[in-house]
Amino acid sequence: MMELDLEIRQDTLFVRPEGELDLGVADYLRRTLEESLSKNPVRHLVFNFNRVSYIDSSCLGVILGRYKRLAREGGRVSLVGLQPHVRRICELSGLLRIMSEYTTEEEAVARAG
């Protein structure tokens, strides 16, 4: 089961999932993110994975889709707090080649400017 906390500050959407990001939550994650991106002028998306224990390819695809959307509009996506297992999956999938990884949300926002 996944919990999802969203927060918008200025032009940044903070996404703080908790639990396992797998096929069972991928559609919910996609719909929720798209709704938030459509309603708000977001240029920077920060995924905080501090409390994520697992991620699979379906949710990696959701993240990649939001990356493509923001990149088309000149925005960016940052990853924060990757746990070792989740970081390895992000590394193998190539996400870390196109998205920046930071230790804290504050660092991600500071570097996005």
Side-chain angles (χ1 to χ4, degrees):
M1 189 67 200
M2 174 196 68
E3 300 278 324
L4 188 59
D5 174 47
L6 299 180
E7 178 190 351
I8 293 188
R9 264 187 269 148
Q10 287 135 359
D11 63 351
T12 301
L13 172 60
F14 295 91
V15 182
R16 301 178 189 106
E18 182 176 345
E20 297 190 350
L21 300 183
D22 57 21
L23 184 59
V25 300
D27 279 339
Y28 171 73
L29 182 62
R30 181 182 295 107
R31 280 194 317 273
T32 305
L33 291 174
E34 278 303 311
E35 187 178 306
S36 196
L37 290 173
S38 296
K39 288 180 180 173
N40 302 284
V42 172
R43 292 188 47 77
H44 188 198
L45 188 53
V46 177
F47 284 97
N48 186 331
F49 289 126
N50 269 323
R51 295 196 213 125
V52 172
S53 55
Y54 174 80
I55 188 167
D56 75 3
S57 60
S58 61
C59 286
L60 290 174
V62 170
I63 294 167
L64 185 59
R66 283 356 84 200
Y67 167 83
K68 288 178 178 175
R69 175 182 172 156
L70 262 70
R72 274 195 306 271
E73 301 164 3
R76 49 183 284 159
V77 175
S78 299
L79 306 175
V80 170
L82 295 175
Q83 302 306 306
H85 179 70
V86 173
R87 185 179 197 287
R88 181 88 179 116
I89 293 168
C90 289
E91 219 169 35
L92 291 171
S93 71
L95 279 193
L96 291 179
R97 286 198 294 273
I98 59 173
M99 297 174 201
S100 299
E101 178 186 8
Y102 299 101
T103 309
T104 65
E105 291 180 2
E106 294 72 24
E107 183 187 5
V109 172
R111 299 276 178 88

